[in-house]
Amino acid sequence: MVDETTTGESGRITTSQKLTRRQKQASAFVDATTVGWKMMLFKIIVLGLLCATAVYAALVLFMNDRWLVGSLVLVGAAALTWIYLKRGVLPAKYLAPGLVFLLIFQIFVVLYSGYVAFTNYGTGHNSTKDHAIQAIMLQSQDRVPDSPTYAVSVLEESGDLLASDDLFFAIVSSEDEVLIGSADQPLEQSTEAEVEEGRVVAVDGYEVLEFGDLLERQTDITDLSVAVSEDPNDGYLRTQDGQRAYVYTSRYIYDDAADTMTSTETGAVYRDTGDGAFIADDGEQLLPGWQINVGMDNFVRAVTEESIRGPLIYVTLWTFAFAFLSVATTFALGLFLAMVFNDKQMKSRKYYRLVMILPYAFPGFLSALVWAGMMNQEFGFLNNVLFGGASIPWLTDPWLAKVSILIVNLWLGFPYMFLVCTGALQSIPEELTEAAQVDGAKAFQAFKSIKLPLLLTALAPLLISSFAFNFNNFNLVYMLTGGGPRDVSAGVSVGSTDILISMVYKVAFVGAQADYGLASAFSILIFIIVGTISVLAFRKTKALEELN
């Protein structure tokens, strides 16, 4: 008798096979359920950490009166939480991370640069008017001759996740009141303090610094000035040892009603004339000033002030020349080498090609630094070895420095053009060239009439992008010459080899006076120039024909 649980009739599934299949299905269902719960748990943990971080960041921003940014952080966190917890929005789950980075690192940067371009933001004008008044009152202080001596205790906040690193002074006034204040908060009465022998020894929510802590933060303590009251003319409390404090007053008197600063030494009166600073009748300014909107003033300065307009025109012309010559030279050399090493009759082509792309494998900024050393006028390899000890000013002569930049950029850029030209050449059928030669065309004529137009059609977008890249090739210019030699006659920090982007960097970050507003205005001009050229070039080459 045949056991049906193991064999069965031909073509039928036996009982044991059915049980095995059901067991596998049940096991697969359990495994899928377990994986699903694990993924859900992981997702909840990640989103929980994201929301906690967003709430913490928003609270910090709200405490610093950054209401708009704090609100955007909360809205963004809520949107991400909704996207990753809701079913049926799979495309949004993939797009969300890229969109977040796009908003933070692209859109926000562009919008903020545009905002700064219409302000006087820079050295001496980087805060509010209240902060400027406080800074002016603090920067020139003298101790009041008959100032009482206060037994001061230095405090810091404790026990709060959002506690700052700010220091506080705590004193006992002549009326036996405990007063506590910081750099941003004038002295105020506190009823939650413990006093022993005329000195504050404990305050709820604060820690009193011990002697060792005072030594570690000695600089912060001696630099700390706490306003005696809301009126800055009443003076500031300062200490030199963290044990005794005295009252200091400024050499300037601020009149809130008249909105003026008066010097107690010279009697000069400085007024708010709407230029973001207190200015005397003779034009002298009190710095720091404060940030204000100046409208189109930065753009007007760029085109009307001769000390800025001249260097701007010169740098713009050199930037166009540098970008064009960089693309032309690298493309010409790359195309020539691609044609040479694309010839099937040449032996060991793959080894030559490997050597050709070696400069492309090294970091560009590192290669620029190496070339800067090789072109050193006194100790460089080029002068001492190749030119027999000659003293050629490769990097210090204005015209030779330009030539040096083009040479180094040729070294760095031709491997890329060699690669793309090699690929484009190999994609062109050889039958076209052979047909032209059969019709009597010579090799150069066939290349000029057939291969070159096809190459330019394929490589035009890459050449345009290469032009845009070299238009903003900051690394090469700054690492090789630093933009020099310096143009001492210019009203801004600029040199003979500076391009627009390096000029913007110098205006914003190099030198004693940083002018972020003017640098942002230059950045907008660069954006408009590059964008216009790119659009016109793409339309000219019909690269965007399919999108129109």
Side-chain angles (χ1 to χ4, degrees), residues 342-418:
N342 197 47
D343 189 349
K344 295 181 180 180
Q345 297 180 357
M346 176 172 286
K347 298 180 180 181
S348 304
R349 290 185 300 164
K350 60 181 180 180
Y351 300 109
Y352 291 123
R353 288 171 176 170
L354 178 62
V355 174
M356 289 299 102
I357 64 173
L358 282 179
Y360 196 47
F362 293 100
F365 75 92
L366 184 59
S367 297
L369 291 176
V370 172
W371 273 96
M374 294 172 59
M375 290 179 168
N376 184 278
Q377 183 174 350
E378 302 296 334
F379 312 103
F381 175 83
L382 296 184
N383 285 346
N384 288 336
V385 177
L386 297 184
F387 293 97
S391 182
I392 302 175
W394 293 101
L395 304 178
T396 55
D397 179 79
W399 289 102
L400 273 179
K402 291 181 174 65
V403 174
S404 300
I405 286 182
L406 292 173
I407 292 174
V408 176
N409 196 57
L410 178 62
W411 164 263
L412 295 175
F414 86 86
Y416 170 75
M417 292 298 181
F418 168 72

Side-chain angles (χ1 to χ4, degrees), residues 114-126:
Y115 161 74
V116 172
F118 295 94
T119 69
N120 65 340
Y121 185 33
T123 301
H125 300 276
N126 53 10

Side-chain angles (χ1 to χ4, degrees), residues 34-57:
T34 303
V35 171
W37 278 108
K38 289 181 179 179
M39 289 298 296
M40 180 61 70
L41 181 61
F42 175 76
K43 188 184 298 184
I44 292 174
I45 293 175
V46 172
L47 290 176
L49 292 175
L50 172 65
C51 293
T53 304
V55 171
Y56 175 79

Side-chain angles (χ1 to χ4, degrees), residues 1 5 8 38 51 76 265 402 424 446 507:
M1 183 176 181
T5 61
K38 289 181 179 179
C51 293
E265 295 179 331
K402 291 181 174 65
V507 171

Side-chain angles (χ1 to χ4, degrees), residues 276-488:
F278 289 105
I279 304 177
D281 294 337
D282 58 359
E284 181 185 0
Q285 289 189 14
L286 285 182
L287 292 179
W290 55 91
Q291 183 177 341
I292 61 171
N293 293 323
V294 296
M296 300 293 293
D297 285 359
N298 289 319
F299 298 93
V300 173
R301 287 175 57 200
V303 298
T304 58
E305 289 189 19
E306 182 58 33
S307 61
I308 300 177
R309 180 180 60 189
L312 178 61
I313 295 175
Y314 171 81
V315 170
T316 302
L317 294 176
W318 161 240
T319 303
F320 275 101
F322 167 71
F324 175 78
L325 292 174
S326 295
V327 175
T329 54
T330 55
F331 177 70
L333 181 58
L335 178 58
F336 172 76
L337 294 175
M339 292 174 58
V340 171
F341 296 120
N342 197 47
D343 189 349
K344 295 181 180 180
Q345 297 180 357
M346 176 172 286
K347 298 180 180 181
S348 304
R349 290 185 300 164
K350 60 181 180 180
Y351 300 109
Y352 291 123
R353 288 171 176 170
L354 178 62
V355 174
M356 289 299 102
I357 64 173
L358 282 179
Y360 196 47
F362 293 100
F365 75 92
L366 184 59
S367 297
L369 291 176
V370 172
W371 273 96
M374 294 172 59
M375 290 179 168
N376 184 278
Q377 183 174 350
E378 302 296 334
F379 312 103
F381 175 83
L382 296 184
N383 285 346
N384 288 336
V385 177
L386 297 184
F387 293 97
S391 182
I392 302 175
W394 293 101
L395 304 178
T396 55
D397 179 79
W399 289 102
L400 273 179
K402 291 181 174 65
V403 174
S404 300
I405 286 182
L406 292 173
I407 292 174
V408 176
N409 196 57
L410 178 62
W411 164 263
L412 295 175
F414 86 86
Y416 170 75
M417 292 298 181
F418 168 72
L419 290 175
V420 297
C421 289
T422 299
L425 283 173
Q426 292 178 352
S427 67
I428 298 176
E430 289 294 334
E431 290 80 2
L432 298 176
T433 303
E434 294 174 357
Q437 292 177 349
V438 169
D439 292 338
K442 297 182 179 180
F444 178 76
Q445 292 176 332
F447 170 78
K448 178 182 178 182
S449 302
I450 297 176
K451 284 190 175 182
L452 185 59
L454 293 175
L455 278 172
L456 293 178
T457 301
L459 299 181
L462 296 178
L463 295 178
I464 295 170
S465 62
S466 180
F467 179 88
F469 171 79
N470 284 287
F471 200 89
N472 292 315
N473 196 347
F474 172 82
N475 285 344
L476 174 63
V477 173
Y478 205 76
M479 293 297 176
L480 186 63
T481 65
R486 174 79 162 86
D487 184 1
V488 295

Side-chain angles (χ1 to χ4, degrees), residues 45-171:
I45 293 175
V46 172
L47 290 176
L49 292 175
L50 172 65
C51 293
T53 304
V55 171
Y56 175 79
L59 289 176
V60 173
L61 291 168
F62 291 154
M63 291 176 61
N64 290 276
D65 296 329
R66 306 292 185 182
W67 298 101
L68 177 59
V69 180
S71 300
L72 292 177
V73 169
L74 291 179
V75 171
L80 289 176
T81 303
W82 179 82
I83 289 173
Y84 284 99
L85 289 181
K86 184 176 177 58
R87 295 179 179 273
V89 289
L90 186 61
K93 291 179 171 64
Y94 288 100
L95 292 175
L99 183 61
V100 169
F101 286 110
L102 174 66
L103 291 174
I104 295 176
F105 295 108
Q106 293 290 334
I107 305 299
F108 171 76
V109 172
V110 171
L111 294 178
Y112 187 73
S113 297
Y115 161 74
V116 172
F118 295 94
T119 69
N120 65 340
Y121 185 33
T123 301
H125 300 276
N126 53 10
S127 189
T128 63
K129 184 175 181 178
D130 291 338
H131 288 163
I133 293 173
Q134 184 179 11
I136 293 172
M137 301 294 287
L138 289 174
Q139 69 184 6
S140 55
Q141 293 182 344
D142 295 314
R143 177 179 169 182
V144 177
D146 56 350
S147 168
T149 302
Y150 295 97
V152 66
S153 298
V154 184
L155 316 176
E156 65 178 357
E157 290 181 298
S158 64
D160 187 355
L161 185 62
L162 298 178
S164 64
D165 294 331
D166 294 340
L167 295 178
F168 297 79
F169 283 165
I171 63 170

Side-chain angles (χ1 to χ4, degrees), residues 108-246:
F108 171 76
V109 172
V110 171
L111 294 178
Y112 187 73
S113 297
Y115 161 74
V116 172
F118 295 94
T119 69
N120 65 340
Y121 185 33
T123 301
H125 300 276
N126 53 10
S127 189
T128 63
K129 184 175 181 178
D130 291 338
H131 288 163
I133 293 173
Q134 184 179 11
I136 293 172
M137 301 294 287
L138 289 174
Q139 69 184 6
S140 55
Q141 293 182 344
D142 295 314
R143 177 179 169 182
V144 177
D146 56 350
S147 168
T149 302
Y150 295 97
V152 66
S153 298
V154 184
L155 316 176
E156 65 178 357
E157 290 181 298
S158 64
D160 187 355
L161 185 62
L162 298 178
S164 64
D165 294 331
D166 294 340
L167 295 178
F168 297 79
F169 283 165
I171 63 170
V172 179
S173 68
S174 57
E175 290 81 13
D176 294 331
E177 295 178 343
V178 176
L179 304 176
I180 299 178
S182 66
D184 300 324
Q185 172 187 328
L187 291 175
E188 294 181 351
Q189 183 177 359
S190 174
T191 58
E192 300 177 349
E194 182 180 343
V195 180
E196 291 183 3
E197 299 179 356
R199 182 185 297 273
V200 176
V201 295
V203 183
D204 291 344
Y206 298 89
E207 288 185 5
V208 178
L209 298 186
E210 301 295 336
F211 182 74
D213 298 327
L214 295 177
L215 292 178
E216 291 181 0
R217 306 192 63 177
Q218 183 177 4
T219 302
D220 296 334
I221 294 171
T222 55
D223 291 342
L224 179 60
S225 296
V226 177
V228 174
S229 68
E230 295 286 350
D231 186 358
N233 296 318
D234 290 340
Y236 295 83
L237 205 64
R238 301 187 64 176
T239 181
Q240 297 299 320
D241 56 8
Q243 300 293 323
R244 293 171 294 276
Y246 307 92

